Amino acid sequence: MSAVPPRRPAAGPVPPAVQSTVRELVDVSPVLVELGERFAAAGFEAHLVGGSVRDALLAAGGDAPRPPGDLDVTTDARPEQVLDLLRGWASSTWNTGIAFGTVGAEVRGTRLEITTFRADRYDRISRDPEVAWGASLTDDLARRDFTVNAMAVSLGPDRTVTDPFGGLGDLLARRLRTPGTAADSFADDPLRMLRAVRFVAQLGLTPVEEVVEAMTAMSAELARITPERVQVELSKTLLQDAPRAALELFVDTGLADVVLPELPALRMEIDEHHQHKDVYGHSLTVLDRAIALEEADPDAESPDLVLRLAALLHDVGKPATRRHEPRGRVSFHHHEVVGAKLVRRRLQALRYSREITEDVARLTFLHLRFHGYGTGEWTDSAVRRYVTDAGDLLPRLHKLVRSDCTTRNKRRAAALSATYDSLERRIAELSAAEDLARVRPDLDGNAIMEILGIPPGREVGEAWRHLKDLRLERGPLDRDEAEAELRVWWASRT
């Protein structure tokens, strides 16, 4: 077992402008001011730590200020003493993390996590530490994941910023380092490697060589982490404004081989149009384009995890379906079918919800359907089926299909865009006339049973599906036409 040893000299004085910025962060939160006063009156230290301090310092570096969310505080008070200090002031407290020295509280809508100074030790088997109380704030900061998160601001009257490992310099240089050795840090908690990936996307940081080398050498250690925690970090990365560089680090270090092996597998496959170096690069480009379309749509959910997962994974069926054709061509027939199965299996393994899993798999399955549209040869029936099969995923399918058209041939790109514009116009016209969003048979189950004189059961379902297929093929029927078609179908079965 080992603790992460501080190995870097204490940072120099924090500039006055930075001190002022962080002081304002505390002062704009009456809850933090009051918390500091309560702890100081009882003879205890209290320091704001974590993302709130980091983001305030980013503001001092020229970025737009970021309002704090939940607040993390560290203190030399023990958990039972923290609970005493919160009694009668906090509207609620919870102690689900008290075994790790953390007390949760809510004060006038502000959520706090207050943790006793720690100097944890790890068994290097799980990621759960053997909790050990720290003797000082520096001990506590030394155990944190990265130097940019190992800074604190006192909630006492002086509001002093403590930065023992040079986190401010790293933050302003957009550099990602660990307080101790990267190998020790990641051995203690392998999830930190995925956090490094996320911080590339979230904060625009670049890992130093030592961090990248440790991630590459220790990627297999991610197997110690539960799928649920891995999924949370992957999702947070994908939901950032520009996740591409982070995903490239994810793949290049071998972390993706453990978490999402279908993604690096795409690097070996050459796109059938030869417009990209490989399908992996194409998939990242599709993700970039999907994010741009999502953010440009005022009516769309943004960030949209389902769309981003589908954009990244829509071609994962290509490695298994690759075939060499005459004259040097390469085909990937039915890769959308194989891909949907692979997507479903991988997202289930990562413990994504059933709804997200099925939506991403469905988009993967449907993403090639448009290419059968040609230059508008689809019948109205085919358009209806496209809309019905997509269901409420249709707006996302529009964005995915448009993003997937990444040809560098400007004439071809313009033609594909115009063709999809044509399809969307036809969908709008049919929708206005027929309410395609709610395509259902012209007779419901009760009417079917009454007309045919049959009880509830399998035959009612078969009749309903027949009438729906008829509705998709011919459009709306009036009551008499629908009843006549139902009787003809029923007679053909007997």
Side-chain angles (χ1 to χ4, degrees):
M1 298 188 295
S2 73
V4 175
R7 63 181 175 85
R8 297 178 171 95
V14 176
V18 175
Q19 290 275 9
S20 176
T21 298
V22 182
R23 187 175 295 116
E24 290 173 5
L25 171 69
V26 175
D27 291 341
V28 297
S29 173
V31 169
L32 284 178
V33 173
E34 293 171 26
L35 179 69
E37 291 171 348
R38 294 178 76 88
F39 276 64
F44 295 113
E45 298 178 41
H47 304 267
L48 184 66
V49 293
S52 297
V53 177
R54 179 196 68 220
D55 291 345
L57 293 174
L58 273 175
D63 287 18
R66 306 182 186 193
D70 295 352
L71 300 173
D72 293 324
V73 174
T74 188
T75 178
D76 56 346
R78 298 296 172 87
E80 61 275 10
Q81 295 168 322
V82 171
L83 286 168
D84 286 341
L85 288 166
L86 296 176
R87 192 169 291 116
W89 179 59
S91 56
S92 63
T93 60
W94 53 94
N95 58 9
T96 51
I98 202 165
F100 298 100
T102 300
V103 173
E106 184 167 337
V107 181
R108 298 194 298 276
T110 298
R111 291 170 64 92
L112 302 161
E113 283 198 348
I114 305 170
T115 304
T116 301
F117 291 163
R118 283 163 49 179
D120 300 336
R121 304 175 72 84
Y122 292 79
D123 60 12
R124 304 288 175 88
I125 298 173
S126 70
R127 68 181 293 265
D128 295 328
E130 176 186 312
V131 177
W133 304 132
S136 69
L137 174 62
T138 299
D139 284 348
D140 185 81
L141 296 177
R143 71 181 180 83
R144 295 178 181 268
D145 54 3
F146 299 104
T147 60
V148 295
N149 292 328
M151 298 177 284
V153 55
S154 170
L155 300 183
D158 57 356
R159 302 286 195 267
T160 301
V161 176
T162 301
D163 179 19
F165 305 108
L168 175 60
D170 287 340
L171 195 61
L172 298 181
R174 301 298 191 185
R175 193 166 50 220
L176 191 64
R177 292 189 302 135
T178 53
T181 67
D184 278 344
S185 182
F186 298 155
D188 284 346
D189 185 357
L191 189 64
R192 291 172 174 171
M193 294 185 284
L194 284 184
R195 287 172 61 82
V197 169
R198 170 160 62 93
F199 287 144
V200 169
Q202 180 180 335
L203 303 174
L205 304 181
T206 300
V208 298
E209 184 176 353
E210 178 199 4
V211 168
V212 175
E213 289 176 350
M215 292 168 69
T216 305
M218 302 175 68
S219 58
E221 292 295 312
L222 272 181
R224 290 163 45 192
I225 307 301
T226 64
E228 291 83 358
R229 289 184 178 272
V230 168
Q231 180 248 101
V232 167
E233 285 299 327
L234 176 61
S235 296
K236 286 181 178 179
T237 297
L238 286 172
L239 291 173
Q240 301 304 317
D241 291 342
R244 181 170 186 148
L247 291 170
E248 289 172 340
L249 177 67
F250 180 54
V251 170
D252 291 344
T253 55
L255 296 174
D257 292 319
V258 181
V259 174
L260 194 63
E262 294 81 3
L263 182 59
L266 296 176
R267 290 180 298 180
M268 299 186 294
E269 302 305 315
I270 305 300
D271 185 270
E272 66 265 42
H273 303 299
H274 299 278
Q275 70 238 34
H276 296 281
K277 183 178 180 179
D278 52 27
V279 179
Y280 164 68
H282 164 74
S283 298
L284 294 180
T285 298
V286 172
L287 176 61
D288 290 340
R289 291 167 60 92
I291 291 172
L293 289 175
E294 165 202 306
E295 293 177 344
D297 184 352
D299 299 321
E301 172 188 342
S302 185
D304 185 341
L305 182 60
V306 168
L307 176 61
R308 295 181 184 202
L309 282 167
L312 185 65
L313 302 177
H314 72 285
D315 274 345
V316 295
K318 283 190 171 181
T321 58
R322 183 186 189 190
R323 298 291 183 271
H324 293 280
E325 306 289 354
R327 295 189 294 276
R329 299 283 291 176
V330 178
S331 67
F332 303 94
H333 296 309
H334 306 301
H335 76 265
E336 75 281 13
V337 178
V338 174
K341 293 177 181 178
L342 292 174
V343 162
R344 186 174 287 108
R345 184 174 66 190
R346 179 56 54 196
L347 297 190
Q348 286 173 344
L350 287 171
R351 305 294 192 268
Y352 278 99
S353 70
R354 180 174 181 178
E355 180 181 8
I356 288 176
T357 298
E358 292 305 315
D359 284 353
V360 177
R362 191 70 179 161
L363 287 169
T364 301
F365 178 74
L366 291 172
H367 83 274
L368 278 188
R369 183 79 63 86
F370 160 70
H371 293 283
Y373 186 72
T375 55
E377 291 86 355
W378 275 4
T379 63
D380 286 351
S381 172
V383 174
R384 291 187 193 101
R385 289 183 184 279
Y386 188 76
V387 173
T388 303
D389 288 349
D392 59 6
L393 293 175
L394 184 63
R396 286 172 168 140
L397 183 59
H398 288 334
K399 293 182 179 68
L400 177 60
V401 172
R402 287 186 181 276
S403 299
D404 195 30
C405 298
T406 60
T407 177
R408 296 174 185 173
N409 183 316
K410 293 183 179 180
R411 181 176 296 178
R412 176 170 168 75
L416 286 169
S417 179
T419 302
Y420 206 84
D421 289 343
S422 167
L423 175 57
E424 288 202 64
R425 282 195 298 271
R426 289 185 64 188
I427 289 172
E429 290 165 0
L430 284 172
S431 294
E434 303 178 13
D435 194 10
L436 291 185
R438 291 189 294 272
V439 169
R440 299 178 64 80
D442 298 286
L443 300 173
D444 63 17
N446 289 328
I448 291 169
M449 289 187 288
E450 180 183 347
I451 292 166
L452 299 182
I454 59 176
R458 177 176 56 82
E459 291 172 326
V460 177
E462 291 176 358
W464 190 93
R465 285 187 290 274
H466 170 71
L467 290 173
K468 181 174 180 179
D469 286 341
L470 199 63
R471 169 74 167 77
L472 290 169
E473 185 67 32
R474 291 170 47 182
L477 305 177
D478 63 31
R479 170 80 184 208
D480 290 342
E481 287 179 304
E483 182 173 337
E485 291 290 349
L486 175 63
R487 292 187 185 281
V488 169
W489 171 81
W490 182 251
S492 71
R493 300 176 74 258
T494 58

